[in-house]
């Protein structure tokens, strides 16, 4: 059982106690010395990445996501002469298992109230390494990311300010990518394209009809779909085409500052870069496909017609769309608070107006189109 009182140890203190316990298990034969040293090494790495003086119980799932992804990007130090190679997929998976075992013990020992690994979104894959889980952002997280993109893409915003690269080096104006990065994030979050559709997009795929900007998306199986862009996204697109896109004969929409079409792998780095402008309490690692889930989840949660969402995402049937609808925290509570059958009269509830009453059988079938739901209710 968990102790009644929480012991607020620092990361370093808890790690020292845990490693001492792990090494003690070698004397009983419960662990081999080699395995114990692997645990000890991984925990020592965790301490360096998380911070020695941080209280262990203050770490959240988002903090652990940052630690796990930082380890994945860390050069492999086992080689005598570093060659630039990062941690292998198996090393990343092993590190996650070591951290998970450490926090399981911490929860039992009373060093943390709740195991933060249960809310970590970074999963381990033996072949693909550690990666942010393909899960929708909450409304607050998505709005934080959109707000950061708007800040970068706004006239006179961060895109107009002096920019610095690694080591404080000033980035030349012709190497600036803020407008492009803002456009990428807004397109992914608002329209939800596949990352392959995004990097394949050409300037000529965007057109205007009756004052509305459209994106003709070339999707799977040679299918195309024309999706209208929200006003904010359309304005950012215009700003990027006018001031952010390099002058070149290349037809691709999204270009590197050298004028080359972006690759699929470049998009994750763009999202991570924009995430730096998001407030800490609203930031969460997410993949491009996770933003596709975010688009579907929030459109459906806001009662947008399912078939319209299907057409935006380019799915061939509604069954596929169901896999993109992720569960949002608190949505069941909101649904029950606004239950349509329990609303008081006059607020759109049952019995709020005579028009809500069903027609009498003598009246015959209603004129005009009939919804699928009403057709299902009619007797055969």
């Amino acid at each position: 059982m968990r102790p009644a009182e929480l012991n607020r140890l620092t990361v370093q203190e808890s790690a020292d106690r845990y490693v001492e316990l792990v090494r003690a298990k070698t004397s009983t034969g419960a662990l081999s010395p080699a395995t114990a040293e692997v645990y000890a090494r991984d925990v020592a790495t965790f301490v360096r990445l998380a911070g020695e003086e941080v209280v262990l119980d203050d770490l959240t799932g988002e903090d652990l996501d940052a630690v796990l992804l930082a380890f994945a990007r860390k050069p492999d130090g086992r080689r005598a002469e570093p060659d630039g190679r990062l941690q292998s997929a198996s090393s990343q998976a092993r590190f996650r298992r070591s951290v998970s075992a450490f926090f399981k013990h911490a929860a039992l020992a009373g060093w943390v109230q709740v195991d933060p690994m249960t809310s970590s979104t970074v999963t381990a894959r033996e072949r693909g390494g550690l990666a942010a889980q393909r899960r929708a952002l909450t409304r607050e997280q998505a709005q934080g990311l959109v707000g950061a993109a708007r800040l970068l893409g706004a006239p006179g915003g961060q895109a107009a300010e002096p920019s610095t690269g690694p080591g404080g080096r000033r980035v030349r104006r012709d190497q600036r990518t803020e407008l492009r990065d803002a456009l990428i994030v807004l397109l992914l979050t608002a329209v939800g394209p596949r990352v392959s559709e995004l990097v394949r997009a050409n300037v000529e795929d965007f057109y205007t009809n009756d004052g509305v900007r459209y994106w003709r998306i070339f999707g799977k199986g040679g299918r195309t779909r024309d999706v209208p862009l929200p006003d904010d996204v359309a304005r950012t697109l215009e700003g990027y085409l006018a001031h952010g896109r390099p002058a070149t004969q290349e037809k691709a929409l999204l270009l590197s500052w050298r004028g080359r079409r972006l690759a699929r792998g470049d998009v994750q780095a763009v999202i991570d870069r924009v995430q730096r402008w998001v407030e800490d309490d609203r930031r969460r690692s997410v993949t491009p496909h996770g933003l596709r889930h975010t688009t579907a989840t929030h459109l459906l949660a806001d009662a947008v017609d399912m078939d319209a969402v299907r057409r935006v995402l380019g799915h061939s049937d509604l069954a596929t769309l169901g896999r993109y609808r992720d569960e949002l925290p608190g949505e069941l509570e909101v649904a029950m608070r606004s239950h349509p059958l329990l609303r008081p009269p006059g607020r759109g509830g049952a019995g709020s107006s005579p028009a809500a009453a069903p027609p009498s059988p003598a009246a015959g079938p209603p004129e005009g189109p009939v919804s699928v739901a009403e057709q299902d209710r009619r007797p055969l």
Side-chain angles (χ1 to χ4, degrees):
M1 294 180 62
R2 185 176 300 171
E5 294 186 3
L6 180 71
N7 193 350
R8 286 180 61 80
L9 299 174
T10 66
V11 170
Q12 183 68 70
E13 291 169 339
S14 56
D16 289 342
R17 295 190 186 187
Y18 177 71
V19 169
E20 183 179 355
L21 175 66
V22 167
R23 286 176 172 155
K25 288 185 176 182
T26 61
S27 61
T28 63
L31 283 178
S32 70
T35 300
E37 286 310 308
V38 168
Y39 274 117
R41 185 174 67 244
D42 284 342
V43 170
T45 301
F46 172 77
V47 171
R48 289 195 298 273
L49 295 175
E52 299 178 5
E53 300 304 317
V54 175
V55 175
L56 189 69
D57 188 53
D58 289 343
L59 293 175
T60 64
E62 288 81 1
D63 296 326
L64 296 191
D65 285 347
V67 168
L68 293 172
L69 292 174
F71 177 81
R73 301 179 183 123
K74 190 166 108 26
D76 191 340
R78 294 175 297 175
R79 295 174 173 82
E81 296 185 7
D83 55 5
R85 276 188 279 182
L86 304 182
Q87 302 292 331
S88 67
S90 59
S91 294
Q92 295 174 38
R94 186 211 66 238
F95 179 73
R96 193 185 193 284
R97 288 194 298 269
S98 297
V99 174
S100 182
F102 169 57
F103 273 101
K104 282 181 181 177
H105 176 78
L108 292 173
W111 303 341
V112 295
Q113 299 177 69
V114 178
D115 182 354
M117 287 296 289
T118 59
S119 57
S120 170
T121 65
V122 172
T123 56
R125 299 172 297 180
E126 288 292 341
R127 296 188 63 184
L130 290 166
Q133 194 177 59
R134 299 204 279 186
R135 188 165 65 92
L137 297 177
T138 66
R139 184 176 295 271
E140 291 74 20
Q141 292 165 347
Q143 288 174 338
L145 184 59
V146 167
R150 283 172 170 162
L151 179 67
L152 289 174
Q158 293 296 335
E161 298 297 321
S163 180
T164 56
R169 178 180 61 84
R170 179 67 63 88
V171 176
R172 290 173 11 197
R173 182 164 294 277
D174 63 351
Q175 297 178 6
R176 303 285 294 278
T177 61
E178 291 90 344
L179 282 169
R180 183 204 67 190
D181 294 353
L183 177 62
I184 288 174
V185 167
L186 288 175
L187 285 172
L188 287 170
T189 308
V191 182
R194 301 174 179 92
V195 68
S196 58
E197 296 169 342
L198 180 69
V199 297
R200 279 203 308 263
N202 295 326
V203 174
E204 62 190 19
D205 300 337
F206 294 82
Y207 66 94
T208 302
N209 186 21
D210 289 336
V212 178
R213 264 290 197 177
Y214 285 82
W215 177 12
R216 177 160 293 168
I217 302 176
F218 293 85
K220 286 185 176 180
R223 294 188 295 269
T224 62
R225 62 190 188 276
D226 290 6
V227 179
L229 300 181
D231 290 343
D232 280 6
V233 182
R235 282 192 293 269
T236 304
L237 171 66
E238 297 302 328
Y240 168 67
L241 293 176
H243 307 292
R245 185 175 180 273
T248 176
Q249 296 299 314
E250 170 64 57
K251 60 183 180 180
L253 173 72
L254 302 173
L255 301 172
S256 69
W257 66 268
R258 295 181 184 275
R260 300 192 184 113
R261 184 187 291 270
L262 287 192
R264 294 174 54 137
D266 298 327
V267 177
Q268 183 66 60
V270 169
I271 296 171
D272 294 343
R273 191 155 53 241
V274 177
Q275 286 274 25
R276 297 173 192 165
W277 296 96
V278 181
E279 300 91 333
D280 291 345
D281 59 344
R282 301 170 81 183
R283 184 188 305 139
R284 200 203 83 196
S285 298
V286 66
T287 63
H289 201 78
L291 292 179
R292 184 167 163 83
H293 277 247
T294 300
T295 302
T297 296
H298 289 285
L299 286 176
L300 291 172
D302 208 39
V304 175
D305 180 72
M306 288 184 67
D307 191 60
V309 180
R310 176 192 67 78
R311 289 159 56 199
V312 166
L313 296 184
H315 290 151
S316 57
D317 56 66
L318 290 174
T320 306
L321 180 61
R323 297 201 299 268
Y324 283 73
R325 172 64 165 97
D326 292 343
E327 187 175 310
L328 293 174
E331 65 178 338
L332 292 183
E333 290 78 3
V334 171
M336 290 299 100
R337 282 200 300 269
S338 59
H339 199 297
L341 299 180
L342 301 178
R343 293 176 193 150
R347 294 183 56 187
S352 59
S353 68
S360 64
E367 296 182 358
V370 180
S371 68
V372 173
E374 189 165 346
Q375 292 174 13
D376 291 342
R377 290 195 294 268
R378 289 184 178 179
L380 297 176

